[in-house]
């Protein structure tokens, strides 16, 4: 089937035979386009008008592969909540193929919910509408917030009813785009089998695709580990700065490219609390908001283990030492990235040794009051202009904030920028709108019942999160008191 615009160049299928199973998506009764991302399609060099159609729906449901596609289910392993599974793989997903976008960047087009594969482990391989639209909303919101992420290209209804715990739900498939779908778990798959040459081939492929400056270097495998650590440090810092909780940071959900992947039981904090957990399956808080940097380092240590024989095949002790130095450097790399972002959120351009204490001091006040993280930081632009009334009103008891405020004001006075520039910079760093859990949930419930208007409106708000707009005040508010504790589920 030929649709104008697809020009596949499938390096994974071409270069990594034995790393996947060639497969086809399941046939579905009535594929129908629910949401198509025209701007992303244009960025990918695709004919968006042709694809936003019944023919496009058939492609993005996995029902019919376009000319040049080489659909495949990728093999990978992974630690899930600390326990190792030697074989996971794409149990409900397919890599449709790769395209080169208008910027010359290679991008995967990947289907999620396209049916059973040899890696399904007894699952039905399907996805349902609510979780598909959740991933669409959150992925696009993260992109607009400046967080590296997979992106949603299309959401397609399949015309099926899929059985889930609460009964039948409408089936759907998500088409997502990523720099690649290489994961820490991909490396673990071959390391666990002792397949040294395939592991080397995978590492060289990852270097060529994501870190080409390392190609041919004698220490390229150590360099790969260092580069992935640096990108993950920057990524997790961005998660923390916007209040994002991934919810299922298994090693098969950590990419080599440094992009956020697999929006399952994810959510955003309202009140600031590092112990926040939303996922129904995270009963011990392993992946709580405040634990995310620590878990990222743990995952990277698992990646390091797979690379030891490549780093130094002749001296395992030396390989462990070198890899350990890189992984042990993660907390400092994360702290630098986080503090840089936090300085921006506080309106600070220069660097002073007391900035960390200033930042953590505000967070401590927020935590004691369970104050709204996003709203407090956004209101700082008004406080920087000399009126802290709006910020004080966000605390039940503003005494702690009142002690912190003069410290921040004194720090701002040592900056050289004009007040107008500072206010503008604060508003560029602190969003008005994030995917509030109650708004996301309401949109998904409505969509499942057939009303996509709340979903579309929420997407429109989140596409421009830093610009305050009249009439959208409700989207900037935290959950109402009757919303109750929020629990998320893997869902798909």
């Amino acid at each position: 089937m030929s649709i104008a615009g697809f020009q596949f160049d499938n390096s994974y299928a071409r270069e990594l035979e034995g790393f996947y199973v060639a497969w086809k998506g399941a046939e579905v009764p009535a594929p129908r386009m629910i949401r198509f991302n025209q701007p992303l399609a244009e960025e990918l060099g695709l004919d968006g008008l042709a694809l936003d159609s019944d023919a496009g729906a058939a492609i993005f449901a996995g029902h019919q592969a376009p000319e040049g596609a080489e659909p495949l289910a990728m093999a990978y392993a992974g630690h899930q909540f600390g326990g190792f599974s030697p074989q996971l793989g794409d149990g409900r997903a397919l890599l449709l193929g790769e395209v080169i976008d208008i910027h010359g960047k290679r991008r995967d087009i990947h289907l999620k919910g396209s049916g059973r594969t040899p890696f399904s482990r007894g699952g039905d391989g399907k996805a349902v509408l609510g979780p598909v639209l959740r991933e669409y909303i959150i992925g696009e919101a993260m992109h607009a917030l400046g967080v590296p992420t997979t992106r949603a290209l299309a959401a397609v209804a399949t015309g099926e009813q899929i059985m889930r715990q609460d009964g039948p739900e409408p089936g759907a498939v998500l088409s997502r785009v990523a720099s690649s779908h290489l994961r820490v778990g991909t490396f673990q798959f071959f390391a666990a089998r002792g397949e040294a040459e395939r592991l080397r081939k995978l590492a060289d492929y990852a270097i060529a695709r994501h870190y080409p400056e390392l190609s041919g270097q004698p220490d390229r495998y150590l360099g790969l580990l260092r580069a992935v650590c640096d990108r993950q440090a920057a990524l997790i810092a961005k998660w923390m700065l916007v209040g994002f909780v991934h919810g299922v940071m298994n090693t098969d959900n950590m990419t080599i490219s440094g992009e956020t992947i697999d929006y399952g039981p994810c959510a955003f904090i309202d009140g600031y609390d590092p112990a926040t957990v939303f996922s129904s399956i995270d009963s011990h808080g392993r992946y709580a908001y405040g634990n995310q940097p620590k878990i990222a380092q743990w995952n990277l240590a698992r990646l390091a283990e797979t690379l030891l024989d490549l780093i130094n095949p002749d001296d395992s002790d030396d390989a462990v030492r070198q890899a350990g130095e890189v992984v042990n450097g993660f907390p400092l790399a994360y702290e630098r990235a986080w503090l840089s972002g936090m300085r921006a959120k506080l309106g600070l351009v220069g660097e002073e040794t007391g900035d960390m204490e200033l930042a953590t001091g505000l967070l401590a006040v927020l935590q004691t009051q369970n104050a709204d993280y996003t709203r407090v930081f956004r209101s700082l632009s008004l406080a920087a202009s000399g009126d802290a009334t709006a910020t004080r009103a966000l605390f039940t008891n503003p005494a702690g904030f009142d002690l912190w405020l003069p410290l921040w004001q004194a720090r701002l006075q040592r900056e050289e920028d004009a007040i107008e520039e500072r206010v503008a910079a604060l508003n560029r760093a602190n969003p008005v709108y994030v995917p509030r859990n109650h708004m996301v949930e309401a949109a998904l419930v409505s969509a499942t019942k057939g009303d996509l208007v709340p979903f579309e409106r929420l997407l429109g708000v989140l596409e421009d999160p830093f610009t305050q707009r009249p009439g959208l005040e409700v989207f900037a508010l935290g959950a109402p008191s009757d919303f109750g504790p929020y629990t998320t589920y893997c869902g798909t």
Side-chain angles (χ1 to χ4, degrees):
M1 180 179 185
S2 177
I3 291 287
F6 277 112
Q7 297 184 37
F8 288 104
D9 180 35
N10 303 319
S11 66
Y12 194 91
R14 184 173 62 244
E15 299 177 23
L16 296 179
E17 186 176 352
F19 291 65
Y20 59 85
V21 177
W23 205 250
K24 293 182 179 180
E27 292 188 7
V28 297
R32 175 177 57 85
M33 190 69 70
I34 297 173
R35 186 56 152 76
F36 185 73
N37 192 333
Q38 288 281 358
L40 179 56
E42 293 174 8
E43 187 178 318
L44 296 173
L46 304 179
D47 186 338
L49 293 178
L51 288 169
D52 191 3
S53 63
D54 290 344
I59 288 173
F60 294 124
H63 184 84
Q64 243 175 329
E67 183 179 342
E70 298 181 72
L72 58 87
M74 305 173 77
Y76 50 84
H79 276 86
Q80 300 188 310
F81 289 88
F84 184 62
S85 296
Q87 180 171 300
L88 297 172
D90 285 334
R92 57 187 174 201
L94 291 175
L95 174 60
L96 193 63
E98 303 159 32
V99 298
I100 309 300
D101 69 16
I102 60 174
H103 306 295
K105 183 179 178 182
R106 183 176 297 275
R107 312 278 285 277
D108 280 358
I109 299 179
H110 195 260
L111 306 180
K112 188 173 182 181
S114 52
R116 287 189 180 95
T117 79
F119 300 112
S120 294
R121 296 178 297 156
D124 63 14
K126 301 288 188 175
V128 296
L129 184 61
V132 163
L133 295 186
R134 175 189 294 277
E135 184 153 350
Y136 199 118
I137 290 170
I138 304 298
E140 289 305 288
M142 292 281 272
H143 173 70
L145 289 165
V147 181
T149 180
T150 58
R151 296 191 60 193
L153 178 59
V156 174
T158 63
E160 302 169 295
Q161 289 293 309
I162 308 299
M163 289 302 301
R164 290 295 183 258
Q165 185 173 352
D166 295 329
E169 298 186 41
V173 178
L174 178 77
S175 176
R176 65 185 180 187
V177 174
S179 294
S180 85
H181 286 78
L182 298 177
R183 312 156 188 261
V184 171
T186 316
F187 284 79
Q188 291 181 293
F189 183 88
F190 297 102
R193 286 160 174 75
E195 298 188 32
E197 284 310 307
R198 281 187 169 171
L199 190 63
R200 182 185 300 276
K201 193 170 186 179
L202 177 64
D204 286 338
Y205 177 84
I207 288 169
R209 185 158 179 176
H210 295 299
Y211 307 99
E213 67 278 6
L214 298 175
S215 295
Q217 298 296 320
D219 61 346
R220 61 187 178 276
Y221 303 117
L222 184 65
L224 172 63
L225 177 62
R226 184 179 294 110
V228 175
C229 285
D230 287 345
R231 284 204 188 171
Q232 286 294 333
L235 176 66
I236 305 302
K238 287 181 179 291
W239 286 7
M240 301 299 288
L241 291 165
V242 298
F244 172 73
V245 185
H246 185 279
V248 60
M249 288 179 67
N250 299 329
T251 57
D252 55 297
N253 291 337
M254 175 176 275
T255 62
I256 300 304
S257 65
E259 291 176 321
T260 313
I261 192 172
D262 284 332
Y263 294 102
C266 58
F268 279 71
I269 61 171
D270 282 335
Y272 179 79
D273 181 359
T276 299
V277 174
F278 295 109
S279 173
S280 64
I281 58 176
D282 192 5
S283 56
H284 299 292
R286 177 182 175 88
Y287 299 143
Y289 170 67
N291 285 349
Q292 292 181 133
K294 179 174 64 177
I295 291 296
Q297 184 182 17
W298 191 92
N299 288 348
L300 291 164
R302 308 289 77 77
L303 175 63
E305 290 168 353
T306 72
L307 297 174
L308 291 176
D309 286 344
L310 298 178
I311 290 171
N312 191 335
D314 301 318
D315 188 338
S316 60
D317 290 340
D318 180 67
V320 169
R321 179 188 61 78
Q322 291 189 74
E325 288 177 355
V326 172
V327 174
N328 290 336
F330 176 85
L332 181 58
Y334 165 78
E335 181 180 290
R336 287 172 175 165
W338 181 86
L339 184 55
S340 175
M342 188 55 69
R343 283 192 175 102
K345 291 178 74 68
L346 293 174
L348 307 178
V349 177
E351 299 180 7
E352 293 188 8
T353 55
D355 291 345
M356 176 63 79
E357 184 177 356
L358 184 69
T360 56
L362 177 59
L363 295 180
V365 176
L366 265 65
Q367 185 174 356
T368 60
Q369 297 282 296
N370 198 33
D372 191 287
Y373 179 82
T374 301
R375 294 184 70 194
V376 167
F377 275 97
R378 179 67 184 196
S379 73
L380 291 181
S381 62
L382 295 173
S385 301
D387 184 2
T389 305
T391 310
R392 294 186 79 252
L394 296 172
F395 295 91
T396 304
N397 180 355
F401 175 73
D402 289 342
L403 291 173
W404 179 85
L405 181 61
L407 302 176
W408 177 60
Q409 291 173 328
R411 175 66 180 85
L412 287 179
Q413 289 177 1
R414 296 194 292 274
E415 295 285 306
E416 296 181 356
D417 57 331
I419 292 178
E420 296 80 6
E421 295 174 351
R422 185 178 306 151
V423 169
L426 279 162
N427 286 337
R428 287 193 300 270
N430 294 304
V432 187
Y433 314 109
V434 296
R436 296 285 185 172
N437 301 327
H438 65 293
M439 302 296 290
V440 172
E441 200 63 30
L444 300 184
V445 169
S446 294
T448 301
K449 294 178 179 178
D451 180 9
L452 287 168
V453 172
F455 166 74
E456 292 287 353
R457 190 173 186 218
L458 181 58
L459 269 181
V461 171
L462 297 174
E463 285 173 354
D464 186 8
F466 296 97
T467 303
Q468 190 164 350
R469 286 158 281 167
L472 301 181
E473 290 80 8
V474 66
F475 291 93
L477 301 178
S481 57
D482 61 355
F483 184 63
Y486 186 51
T487 302
T488 56
Y489 302 87
C490 287
T492 52

